Amino acid sequence: MAEKKPKKEKTPRAKMPEQNPDIRRRNFEEVPLGLTPEMAIAEAKRCLQCKKPLCVDGCPVSVGIPGFIKLIAEGDFSGAANKLWERNALPAVCGRVCPQEEQCEGRCIVGKKGQPVAIGYLERFAADYERKNGSGGVPAVEGKTGKKIAVIGSGPSGLTVAGDLLLKGHEVTIFEAFHKPGGVLVYGIPEFRLPKEIVASEVATLEKMGANIDCNTVVGASVTIDELFEEGYDAAYIGVGAGLPRFMNIAGENLIGIYSANEYLTRTNLMKGYLFPEYDTPIARGKNVVVLGAGNVAMDSARTAMRLGADSVKVVYRRSRDEMPAREEELHHAQEEKIEFVLLTNPTQFFGDENGRLTGMECLKMELGEPDDSGRRRPVPIKGSEYRFDCDLVVVSVGSNANPLLTNSTPNLNLNRWGNIVADPVTGKTSKKGVWAGGDIVTGAATVILAMGAGRAAANSMHDYLTIGW
Amino acid sequence: MAKIVTREEMAQGTIILNEIEAPRISRKAKPGQFVILQADETGERIPLTMADTDPEKGTITIIYMVVGKSTARFKDLKVGDEYYALIGPLGAPTHIEKVGKVVCVGGGTGIAVLHPITRALKEAGNEVTTILGSRSYDLLIMEEKMRNASHNFHICTDDGSEGHHGFVTDVLKDVLEKDDIDMVVAIGPIPMMKFCSLITKEKNVKTLVSLNPIMVDGTGMCGCCRVTVGGDTKFACVDGPEFDAHKVDFDELAKRLASYLEDEKTSMDAYKNCKIQ
């Protein structure tokens, strides 16, 4: 009788090495350290190489996931990076900030019975490997078409559009209002989650492919879209992001020490306030910090405050832990870094001293009632539950409204009642001929990868327009 | 780009004029709008309202007082040097129309901001009376240009070295007593704007002020520049920088401008030490 084959030991999902929480909460270095080549190969071998890969369906930019993972399993890391570039201009970024659990990894067959393949870790590994050890080569660009494209905004969707259209041989200029390209990847997402050197490197790849990057140009103010067409551009993509920060509209909100998350993160990340006075832009270093809101931006703000030397950082949120919109990984990292979640609590007013500086705030306790339009249980105030506490820094992270600066200067561009641009959900076409839009200016605040997905769709439609017609 | 083509020192070297190459901005800019400048990669973003533009030459002019490290770094830039970043034109332009008799009150570098507005108001057919103030006559800027942009012209100095010995508010009161004024534009230090506003409010004369809060991006993205106007929060960078003076909370603005006083001192001290070495 043949000897019974012992059941094959399953390799567990790779565990990402990370900086120790007690150390990292006081520095700005990246938290996850990245997989080693051995770990990456072992993880890649867990992939079943499905014939009909569901993971690819889960990816907004349809990265060839089994293909690049197979190359990692074979030890061809540069090959894997090149495979990624075919569908994704920003793999090192996506490997870090995509919500893989809801996308590729959420669909992974291996994950049905156990832990899914760590696709995000592998994407990051291949892109990082190529950046550090690669030949510096860039994706091959098709023959020149002679068409000129204006990409307005250098955030994730704009960079995706630029990458895709460059590959197809079009001439692309990216307009950026700030002095550095990258949009939210540079001003918003902190260094410890996405090192700026990585964004710069991904942008440099686009430049090597031929992109012109025109910083310090506020389209809508310095030049209008119609003037760009007069200057000889054939098509334009608007990816200018969400824009205006929302505040709570409660008493005392203009006290010194109350920041929007946009301001707090821009001062810290883009302007490098954490390196003050080496860099000139100051940032308040609060001891008792409160962050209002519970999305990814709120977690970025809270973790930044901890790194800027806070004794205590509280995230105040009106619903419960289950409704917090941030990624689980972000919530987990924040809690590991001793950030306190004060749930079912809503701010009612702020208090300050005679110099107009914040000294404390008042909150109200909430309880969950019936589900609201979003399907989440509506928080209802508990009467008489107001209480006060001291704080010296508040970061308001409750979302943003559409910035009208560009849209006001662009005739024939239809907007919805919130001021967001109306764009075809499949193609990204707007009501204005030759103009596409995508990302937060269309959807309101969302994720990096959704903005990239919109960019991908728009780039395909723009290519059709440039080669076939509107 | 953003190359300095002309540089002048004014008011005993405390105020600097730069004419800067900026073809796109010069073609677009209207009176009352501002730009944001950054001296170099590690620098701060500083908003300055334009004092002049020359679309044919493709230049804009800014005039600033040296008050801290960022403006000290600006002062170090010579003709031929470039600003690391220059963006604009930002903010809503002044609404220029013929309203009749207008009084323009300016103090400090506010006079530079007031200049294109005054000129445009005169060109629009208004009868313009200008009142300029400074601590001392040798600190007064743009006298000739402002005189040319006005029909009636007054100077006030705190020390009596020229013109009226006293504040601009004294002359403003006088003018408002003697004549029916349709509009006042007051641009200068916050106390000046605040007291001009109190006077015109009594007389119920419409008054505009241009505010200069701290900014970061200057395009509405950060909310650093929020000011209370008529009880509502406004962003000076996109809703302003000009507002109805009678509705502005000047005390809050003054406090918010002092947000980083300690940091500014740290920064300036480090800079001075560095220059000495």
Side-chain angles (χ1 to χ4, degrees), chain A residues 151-174:
Chain A
V151 172
I152 303 157
S154 67
S157 80
L159 293 178
T160 302
V161 170
D164 281 10
L165 292 177
L166 285 165
L167 283 176
K168 294 186 194 303
H170 305 297
E171 189 185 330
V172 176
T173 300
I174 304 172

PDB file of all heavy atoms in Angstrom, chain A residues 151-174:
ATOM      1  N   VAL A 151      -3.064  68.012 -17.974  1.00  0.00           N
ATOM      2  CA  VAL A 151      -3.575  67.323 -16.792  1.00  0.00           C
ATOM      3  C   VAL A 151      -3.516  68.326 -15.641  1.00  0.00           C
ATOM      4  O   VAL A 151      -2.441  68.832 -15.319  1.00  0.00           O
ATOM      5  CB  VAL A 151      -2.742  66.066 -16.473  1.00  0.00           C
ATOM      6  CG1 VAL A 151      -3.165  65.475 -15.139  1.00  0.00           C
ATOM      7  CG2 VAL A 151      -2.889  65.034 -17.586  1.00  0.00           C
ATOM      8  N   ILE A 152      -4.663  68.621 -15.051  1.00  0.00           N
ATOM      9  CA  ILE A 152      -4.723  69.674 -14.040  1.00  0.00           C
ATOM     10  C   ILE A 152      -4.819  69.034 -12.667  1.00  0.00           C
ATOM     11  O   ILE A 152      -5.823  68.413 -12.323  1.00  0.00           O
ATOM     12  CB  ILE A 152      -5.912  70.609 -14.316  1.00  0.00           C
ATOM     13  CG1 ILE A 152      -5.762  71.180 -15.732  1.00  0.00           C
ATOM     14  CG2 ILE A 152      -5.979  71.721 -13.280  1.00  0.00           C
ATOM     15  CD1 ILE A 152      -7.052  71.638 -16.330  1.00  0.00           C
ATOM     16  N   GLY A 153      -3.757  69.155 -11.908  1.00  0.00           N
ATOM     17  CA  GLY A 153      -3.668  68.497 -10.606  1.00  0.00           C
ATOM     18  C   GLY A 153      -2.732  67.313 -10.714  1.00  0.00           C
ATOM     19  O   GLY A 153      -2.853  66.497 -11.632  1.00  0.00           O
ATOM     20  N   SER A 154      -1.748  67.225  -9.806  1.00  0.00           N
ATOM     21  CA  SER A 154      -0.756  66.157  -9.897  1.00  0.00           C
ATOM     22  C   SER A 154      -0.930  65.128  -8.791  1.00  0.00           C
ATOM     23  O   SER A 154       0.009  64.502  -8.352  1.00  0.00           O
ATOM     24  CB  SER A 154       0.651  66.752  -9.862  1.00  0.00           C
ATOM     25  OG  SER A 154       0.903  67.318  -8.594  1.00  0.00           O
ATOM     26  N   GLY A 155      -2.173  64.971  -8.332  1.00  0.00           N
ATOM     27  CA  GLY A 155      -2.471  63.926  -7.353  1.00  0.00           C
ATOM     28  C   GLY A 155      -2.578  62.573  -8.025  1.00  0.00           C
ATOM     29  O   GLY A 155      -2.224  62.423  -9.202  1.00  0.00           O
ATOM     30  N   PRO A 156      -3.066  61.570  -7.293  1.00  0.00           N
ATOM     31  CA  PRO A 156      -3.080  60.205  -7.835  1.00  0.00           C
ATOM     32  C   PRO A 156      -3.840  60.053  -9.143  1.00  0.00           C
ATOM     33  O   PRO A 156      -3.379  59.322 -10.032  1.00  0.00           O
ATOM     34  CB  PRO A 156      -3.726  59.379  -6.723  1.00  0.00           C
ATOM     35  CG  PRO A 156      -4.177  60.339  -5.677  1.00  0.00           C
ATOM     36  CD  PRO A 156      -3.485  61.629  -5.888  1.00  0.00           C
ATOM     37  N   SER A 157      -4.976  60.735  -9.311  1.00  0.00           N
ATOM     38  CA  SER A 157      -5.701  60.521 -10.567  1.00  0.00           C
ATOM     39  C   SER A 157      -4.978  61.207 -11.717  1.00  0.00           C
ATOM     40  O   SER A 157      -4.859  60.640 -12.804  1.00  0.00           O
ATOM     41  CB  SER A 157      -7.164  60.976 -10.464  1.00  0.00           C
ATOM     42  OG  SER A 157      -7.305  62.363 -10.596  1.00  0.00           O
ATOM     43  N   GLY A 158      -4.472  62.406 -11.497  1.00  0.00           N
ATOM     44  CA  GLY A 158      -3.745  63.124 -12.552  1.00  0.00           C
ATOM     45  C   GLY A 158      -2.500  62.367 -12.982  1.00  0.00           C
ATOM     46  O   GLY A 158      -2.203  62.259 -14.177  1.00  0.00           O
ATOM     47  N   LEU A 159      -1.773  61.823 -12.023  1.00  0.00           N
ATOM     48  CA  LEU A 159      -0.554  61.080 -12.367  1.00  0.00           C
ATOM     49  C   LEU A 159      -0.893  59.821 -13.167  1.00  0.00           C
ATOM     50  O   LEU A 159      -0.160  59.433 -14.081  1.00  0.00           O
ATOM     51  CB  LEU A 159       0.232  60.716 -11.101  1.00  0.00           C
ATOM     52  CG  LEU A 159       0.836  61.900 -10.323  1.00  0.00           C
ATOM     53  CD1 LEU A 159       1.545  61.404  -9.065  1.00  0.00           C
ATOM     54  CD2 LEU A 159       1.799  62.718 -11.180  1.00  0.00           C
ATOM     55  N   THR A 160      -2.032  59.192 -12.830  1.00  0.00           N
ATOM     56  CA  THR A 160      -2.449  57.996 -13.569  1.00  0.00           C
ATOM     57  C   THR A 160      -2.793  58.341 -15.011  1.00  0.00           C
ATOM     58  O   THR A 160      -2.361  57.661 -15.955  1.00  0.00           O
ATOM     59  CB  THR A 160      -3.663  57.338 -12.876  1.00  0.00           C
ATOM     60  OG1 THR A 160      -3.290  57.022 -11.542  1.00  0.00           O
ATOM     61  CG2 THR A 160      -4.106  56.078 -13.595  1.00  0.00           C
ATOM     62  N   VAL A 161      -3.573  59.410 -15.185  1.00  0.00           N
ATOM     63  CA  VAL A 161      -3.931  59.845 -16.541  1.00  0.00           C
ATOM     64  C   VAL A 161      -2.649  60.140 -17.325  1.00  0.00           C
ATOM     65  O   VAL A 161      -2.486  59.707 -18.473  1.00  0.00           O
ATOM     66  CB  VAL A 161      -4.816  61.115 -16.479  1.00  0.00           C
ATOM     67  CG1 VAL A 161      -4.992  61.710 -17.869  1.00  0.00           C
ATOM     68  CG2 VAL A 161      -6.173  60.779 -15.884  1.00  0.00           C
ATOM     69  N   ALA A 162      -1.747  60.864 -16.689  1.00  0.00           N
ATOM     70  CA  ALA A 162      -0.500  61.237 -17.364  1.00  0.00           C
ATOM     71  C   ALA A 162       0.265  59.993 -17.788  1.00  0.00           C
ATOM     72  O   ALA A 162       0.696  59.879 -18.944  1.00  0.00           O
ATOM     73  CB  ALA A 162       0.345  62.105 -16.438  1.00  0.00           C
ATOM     74  N   GLY A 163       0.417  59.044 -16.880  1.00  0.00           N
ATOM     75  CA  GLY A 163       1.160  57.818 -17.170  1.00  0.00           C
ATOM     76  C   GLY A 163       0.543  57.065 -18.339  1.00  0.00           C
ATOM     77  O   GLY A 163       1.236  56.672 -19.286  1.00  0.00           O
ATOM     78  N   ASP A 164      -0.784  56.896 -18.300  1.00  0.00           N
ATOM     79  CA  ASP A 164      -1.460  56.125 -19.348  1.00  0.00           C
ATOM     80  C   ASP A 164      -1.336  56.800 -20.708  1.00  0.00           C
ATOM     81  O   ASP A 164      -1.095  56.143 -21.725  1.00  0.00           O
ATOM     82  CB  ASP A 164      -2.945  55.953 -18.997  1.00  0.00           C
ATOM     83  CG  ASP A 164      -3.160  54.859 -17.962  1.00  0.00           C
ATOM     84  OD1 ASP A 164      -2.151  54.396 -17.394  1.00  0.00           O
ATOM     85  OD2 ASP A 164      -4.317  54.462 -17.733  1.00  0.00           O
ATOM     86  N   LEU A 165      -1.512  58.130 -20.744  1.00  0.00           N
ATOM     87  CA  LEU A 165      -1.485  58.823 -22.034  1.00  0.00           C
ATOM     88  C   LEU A 165      -0.065  58.952 -22.574  1.00  0.00           C
ATOM     89  O   LEU A 165       0.145  58.952 -23.788  1.00  0.00           O
ATOM     90  CB  LEU A 165      -2.190  60.177 -21.923  1.00  0.00           C
ATOM     91  CG  LEU A 165      -3.709  60.055 -21.687  1.00  0.00           C
ATOM     92  CD1 LEU A 165      -4.338  61.430 -21.501  1.00  0.00           C
ATOM     93  CD2 LEU A 165      -4.409  59.316 -22.828  1.00  0.00           C
ATOM     94  N   LEU A 166       0.911  59.026 -21.692  1.00  0.00           N
ATOM     95  CA  LEU A 166       2.312  59.021 -22.144  1.00  0.00           C
ATOM     96  C   LEU A 166       2.641  57.700 -22.826  1.00  0.00           C
ATOM     97  O   LEU A 166       3.276  57.671 -23.884  1.00  0.00           O
ATOM     98  CB  LEU A 166       3.261  59.237 -20.960  1.00  0.00           C
ATOM     99  CG  LEU A 166       3.342  60.660 -20.399  1.00  0.00           C
ATOM    100  CD1 LEU A 166       4.011  60.639 -19.029  1.00  0.00           C
ATOM    101  CD2 LEU A 166       4.101  61.590 -21.340  1.00  0.00           C
ATOM    102  N   LEU A 167       2.176  56.603 -22.201  1.00  0.00           N
ATOM    103  CA  LEU A 167       2.422  55.279 -22.785  1.00  0.00           C
ATOM    104  C   LEU A 167       1.880  55.196 -24.205  1.00  0.00           C
ATOM    105  O   LEU A 167       2.444  54.523 -25.055  1.00  0.00           O
ATOM    106  CB  LEU A 167       1.761  54.183 -21.929  1.00  0.00           C
ATOM    107  CG  LEU A 167       2.463  53.788 -20.634  1.00  0.00           C
ATOM    108  CD1 LEU A 167       1.622  52.762 -19.873  1.00  0.00           C
ATOM    109  CD2 LEU A 167       3.857  53.231 -20.903  1.00  0.00           C
ATOM    110  N   LYS A 168       0.762  55.888 -24.433  1.00  0.00           N
ATOM    111  CA  LYS A 168       0.136  55.825 -25.762  1.00  0.00           C
ATOM    112  C   LYS A 168       0.721  56.849 -26.728  1.00  0.00           C
ATOM    113  O   LYS A 168       0.198  57.049 -27.823  1.00  0.00           O
ATOM    114  CB  LYS A 168      -1.374  56.019 -25.625  1.00  0.00           C
ATOM    115  CG  LYS A 168      -2.052  54.870 -24.862  1.00  0.00           C
ATOM    116  CD  LYS A 168      -3.547  55.032 -24.874  1.00  0.00           C
ATOM    117  CE  LYS A 168      -4.285  54.163 -23.880  1.00  0.00           C
ATOM    118  NZ  LYS A 168      -4.078  52.726 -23.985  1.00  0.00           N
ATOM    119  N   GLY A 169       1.763  57.555 -26.307  1.00  0.00           N
ATOM    120  CA  GLY A 169       2.487  58.426 -27.231  1.00  0.00           C
ATOM    121  C   GLY A 169       2.012  59.869 -27.279  1.00  0.00           C
ATOM    122  O   GLY A 169       2.437  60.628 -28.149  1.00  0.00           O
ATOM    123  N   HIS A 170       1.125  60.276 -26.345  1.00  0.00           N
ATOM    124  CA  HIS A 170       0.678  61.672 -26.344  1.00  0.00           C
ATOM    125  C   HIS A 170       1.648  62.537 -25.544  1.00  0.00           C
ATOM    126  O   HIS A 170       2.385  62.042 -24.690  1.00  0.00           O
ATOM    127  CB  HIS A 170      -0.731  61.779 -25.749  1.00  0.00           C
ATOM    128  CG  HIS A 170      -1.736  60.912 -26.432  1.00  0.00           C
ATOM    129  ND1 HIS A 170      -2.078  61.081 -27.753  1.00  0.00           N
ATOM    130  CD2 HIS A 170      -2.449  59.839 -25.992  1.00  0.00           C
ATOM    131  CE1 HIS A 170      -2.986  60.164 -28.085  1.00  0.00           C
ATOM    132  NE2 HIS A 170      -3.215  59.384 -27.033  1.00  0.00           N
ATOM    133  N   GLU A 171       1.599  63.844 -25.821  1.00  0.00           N
ATOM    134  CA  GLU A 171       2.438  64.786 -25.086  1.00  0.00           C
ATOM    135  C   GLU A 171       1.628  65.298 -23.893  1.00  0.00           C
ATOM    136  O   GLU A 171       0.504  65.776 -24.061  1.00  0.00           O
ATOM    137  CB  GLU A 171       2.815  65.942 -26.021  1.00  0.00           C
ATOM    138  CG  GLU A 171       3.850  66.873 -25.445  1.00  0.00           C
ATOM    139  CD  GLU A 171       4.100  68.069 -26.362  1.00  0.00           C
ATOM    140  OE1 GLU A 171       3.952  67.930 -27.596  1.00  0.00           O
ATOM    141  OE2 GLU A 171       4.406  69.149 -25.820  1.00  0.00           O
ATOM    142  N   VAL A 172       2.186  65.173 -22.699  1.00  0.00           N
ATOM    143  CA  VAL A 172       1.410  65.495 -21.493  1.00  0.00           C
ATOM    144  C   VAL A 172       2.108  66.561 -20.661  1.00  0.00           C
ATOM    145  O   VAL A 172       3.311  66.472 -20.400  1.00  0.00           O
ATOM    146  CB  VAL A 172       1.221  64.230 -20.614  1.00  0.00           C
ATOM    147  CG1 VAL A 172       0.497  64.578 -19.312  1.00  0.00           C
ATOM    148  CG2 VAL A 172       0.456  63.152 -21.368  1.00  0.00           C
ATOM    149  N   THR A 173       1.328  67.598 -20.262  1.00  0.00           N
ATOM    150  CA  THR A 173       1.816  68.569 -19.286  1.00  0.00           C
ATOM    151  C   THR A 173       0.926  68.486 -18.049  1.00  0.00           C
ATOM    152  O   THR A 173      -0.302  68.520 -18.166  1.00  0.00           O
ATOM    153  CB  THR A 173       1.783  70.003 -19.855  1.00  0.00           C
ATOM    154  OG1 THR A 173       2.620  70.035 -20.997  1.00  0.00           O
ATOM    155  CG2 THR A 173       2.289  71.009 -18.827  1.00  0.00           C
ATOM    156  N   ILE A 174       1.558  68.345 -16.899  1.00  0.00           N
ATOM    157  CA  ILE A 174       0.813  68.284 -15.641  1.00  0.00           C
ATOM    158  C   ILE A 174       0.940  69.633 -14.954  1.00  0.00           C
ATOM    159  O   ILE A 174       2.053  70.123 -14.740  1.00  0.00           O
ATOM    160  CB  ILE A 174       1.381  67.185 -14.712  1.00  0.00           C
ATOM    161  CG1 ILE A 174       1.382  65.823 -15.416  1.00  0.00           C
ATOM    162  CG2 ILE A 174       0.602  67.128 -13.410  1.00  0.00           C
ATOM    163  CD1 ILE A 174       2.098  64.729 -14.630  1.00  0.00           C
TER     164      ILE A 174
END
